[in-house]
Amino acid sequence: MRVVQCYDDGLVDDIRLIAILRRCGAKAAFCLIPGLYLEHRTGWRDGDREILRISADEMQAVYKGFEIVSHSMTHPVLTDLTPDRMAWETGRSREILQSAFGQPVGGFCYPFNSYDQRVKDAVRAAGYVWARGNGDSGTYPPADSLEFHPSCHFLAPYFWDKYREVREKGGVFFFWGHSYELRHEHMWYEFEKKIEGENMGSVPSFL
C-alpha cells in the first residue's frame, strides 16, 4: 500500500506541519496559489484566529523538497470564468511554480472542488497530467486522471477505518487537508502521532 498526503493553500501553519513531516521523514504534496502570495503575509479571520498565507519570498524555502501542485493563480470558482481567464489561472500558475522550484508541476487541485468538462479541458491544455478534487470516494487508479479523489480528509472521524480498508485491499490511501484546521495543541499532537504511525513516515510522494 502507498500513502499519499496533500495539503492546500500555502499557509503559515504549513511551516510547523512541514517540520513534523521532515522530522518523521514523510513526503507530501502541497497545493499552492502563487497569485495570492505577496511581499508580506496576508490572510483572513476565522473567529478569534488569524489565518495567514505565506509570503512570496518564503515560498521556495518553506516547500523545498516536497511535491508541488498548482491550486490556480487566485483560487476562483473556475466554472464561472471566461476561457481566457481560466487559461491564465491554470497555465500561468504552473509556469510560476515550475520556475520557482525548478521541477515539473504535473498536478492541479480544483479550487472549491468546482470543475466541469470545460475546466478539465483547460487543465489538460495547460499541461497537467492529473487533477484532484475533494470528497472521500477515492479509488486507485482513477478512471479519469483529472478526477483523482482522496480517500478522506485528514481529520475525518473514520480516517483509520478508511486506512485499514485500503491496507487490506492494497492500493493507495490518499488524504488531504489544510494546516490551519489544526486548531490547538492537542490536534497538533494527534497529527504528529498519525504521521509517525503505520509507517507513514517512509511513503513516496504522489508521483
Side-chain angles (χ1 to χ4, degrees):
M1 183 181 74
R2 294 180 62 191
V3 179
V4 175
Q5 48 186 321
C6 192
Y7 302 98
D8 295 359
D9 294 352
L11 305 171
V12 170
D13 284 333
D14 286 353
I15 295 172
R16 182 174 179 179
L17 185 149
I18 284 172
I20 294 171
L21 297 177
R22 293 190 193 281
R23 186 161 59 249
C24 295
K27 296 184 178 181
F30 287 89
C31 305
L32 304 184
I33 316 166
L36 296 186
Y37 308 141
L38 307 181
E39 293 182 358
H40 56 283
R41 293 175 174 180
T42 61
W44 67 95
R45 300 294 302 181
D46 178 32
D48 60 352
R49 302 171 64 217
E50 186 175 24
I51 311 300
L52 293 174
R53 301 182 187 92
I54 60 167
S55 68
D57 291 341
E58 294 175 290
M59 182 174 67
Q60 290 168 280
V62 168
Y63 299 103
K64 183 179 180 180
F66 289 91
E67 187 76 31
I68 303 301
V69 176
S70 170
H71 204 13
S72 78
M73 279 295 290
T74 64
H75 205 286
V77 177
L78 292 174
T79 52
D80 290 345
L81 302 185
T82 64
D84 286 347
R85 175 65 186 277
M86 193 186 305
W88 179 79
E89 289 281 351
T90 55
R92 183 57 181 151
S93 58
R94 184 169 186 255
E95 292 172 359
I96 290 173
L97 293 173
Q98 290 189 143
S99 176
F101 290 96
Q103 65 191 55
V105 174
F108 187 83
C109 178
Y110 299 112
F112 304 108
N113 196 33
S114 177
Y115 65 93
D116 54 19
Q117 188 59 52
R118 193 170 61 96
V119 173
K120 288 170 56 179
D121 289 344
V123 168
R124 184 179 292 107
Y128 299 99
V129 295
W130 64 271
R132 196 208 93 199
N134 294 335
D136 56 4
S137 58
T139 57
Y140 185 85
D144 183 342
S145 65
L146 297 185
E147 294 187 27
F148 198 107
H149 295 284
S151 306
C152 66
H153 188 274
F154 81 133
L155 296 180
Y158 45 83
F159 178 93
W160 288 114
D161 291 334
K162 284 275 189 177
Y163 177 85
R164 285 187 286 269
E165 177 184 334
V166 175
R167 184 177 61 184
E168 291 173 3
K169 295 179 179 179
V172 173
F173 178 64
F174 177 13
F175 62 94
W176 74 284
H178 307 85
S179 56
Y180 80 86
E181 295 174 283
L182 297 167
R183 299 175 182 275
H184 49 72
E185 289 303 313
H186 180 69
M187 294 182 76
W188 281 101
Y189 172 81
E190 291 295 324
F191 172 78
E192 184 162 3
K193 293 303 179 184
K194 184 176 290 184
I195 299 302
E196 288 177 344
E198 300 292 333
N199 296 318
M200 287 188 186
S202 59
V203 299
S205 60
F206 187 78
L207 296 177

